Amino acid sequence: MDEHDVPLTGDYGGVRWIYAFSDETALARYALARGEGDREWAYQRWLGARLLDAAVPAVGVPCGVALDVGGRGALFPPVAGIVPDRVAVDVSAERGDAK
């Protein structure tokens, strides 16, 4: 969470990325990389499936999850099989099939 209790996000390549961290150590690495290791970082615990199935669709723009930003992380892009088909960028809204 940022200083306004809003989830950390960044925009890149036409996608909004929700920053998620696998543990407090990964969050601390991110904070240090930003030069903000001296402030308190609030966080919420979410199951990965809930983040992908509920939070990503609620954003309202193409959105994925960036796990452990600033370290050896992974990207979960907004594509079929990762996020619900209704918000996947590779699924046709008209026909419901993969592009």
Side-chain angles (χ1 to χ4, degrees):
M1 309 296 285
D2 69 11
E3 60 275 0
H4 305 289
D5 290 330
V6 175
L8 298 173
T9 63
D11 294 327
Y12 183 76
V15 175
R16 171 128 337 128
W17 297 94
I18 297 173
Y19 297 165
F21 302 92
S22 57
D23 56 29
E24 289 178 359
T25 302
L27 175 58
R29 275 193 300 272
Y30 173 78
L32 291 171
R34 291 180 52 96
E36 298 181 46
D38 57 342
R39 77 170 179 89
E40 184 176 330
W41 287 74
Y43 62 90
Q44 293 181 353
R45 292 178 189 238
W46 286 56
L47 292 174
R50 183 171 176 223
L51 189 60
L52 291 167
D53 293 343
V56 164
V59 172
V61 297
C63 183
V65 174
L67 179 65
D68 294 339
V69 174
R72 298 186 120 195
L75 296 177
F76 298 91
V79 296
I82 304 283
V83 300
D85 284 352
R86 70 183 185 283
V87 295
V89 296
D90 63 337
V91 173
S92 169
E94 296 158 1
R95 297 179 10 170
D97 58 354
K99 291 182 184 175

